[in-house]
Amino acid sequence: QVELVESGGGSVQAGDSLRLSCAASSRPFSRSVIGWFRQAPGKEREFVALIRARGGSEFYADSVKGRFTISRDNPKNLVFLQMNNLKPEDTAVYYCAMGSQYSSNRQDYDDWGRGTQVTVAS
């Protein structure tokens, strides 16, 4: 069982930036795909971004492309989500997840963190 812990959420104004972090406890981190997902109240959990095991080949949801950047630091077992120009519609609980497939489908991810709240006021 891998433990994933998200941090960095908070309450900001539209146009501000936040940097989320995801820390993993397990050695397979460097061989895994890491994805970020989010869930707003009353909505299904949706894909945000993912990154391959060795970095590069990022993939983003259209709604965040050009504003969010995913990166990873394998030696430190960390993945980051830099979120710029935040909008009220970005308000959600953000989760990181670990999987073995390059996929935006949440069913392809085996391990999940508990999430961190991001609230963007207009």
Side-chain angles (χ1 to χ4, degrees):
Q1 186 78 19
V2 175
E3 181 180 14
L4 300 171
V5 179
E6 303 93 339
S7 61
S11 297
V12 297
Q13 298 292 315
D16 286 350
S17 299
L18 280 174
R19 189 193 196 203
L20 305 184
S21 298
C22 172
S25 63
S26 171
R27 288 187 298 164
F29 176 84
S30 64
R31 303 194 296 271
S32 302
V33 175
I34 301 295
W36 282 98
F37 293 77
R38 66 187 182 187
Q39 188 165 16
K43 296 187 177 181
E44 291 192 354
R45 192 170 299 188
E46 65 174 7
F47 167 76
V48 175
L50 66 87
I51 189 166
R52 282 191 185 279
R54 299 192 180 278
S57 299
E58 301 95 19
F59 182 67
Y60 299 92
D62 288 343
S63 58
V64 306
K65 199 174 297 182
R67 299 187 298 122
F68 290 12
T69 302
I70 189 171
S71 61
R72 65 191 296 163
D73 184 340
N74 284 343
K76 295 183 179 179
N77 279 16
L78 290 169
V79 171
F80 305 101
L81 185 68
Q82 177 67 42
M83 306 186 296
N84 298 329
N85 190 23
L86 282 160
K87 303 176 180 180
E89 51 263 42
D90 294 318
T91 295
V93 177
Y94 283 71
Y95 300 88
C96 67
M98 181 183 293
S100 57
Q101 298 187 51
Y102 190 76
S103 171
S104 60
N105 188 334
R106 63 181 186 268
Q107 279 72 31
D108 290 325
Y109 289 79
D110 303 311
D111 298 288
W112 292 80
R114 294 187 176 183
T116 185
Q117 176 70 46
V118 172
T119 303
V120 184
S122 58

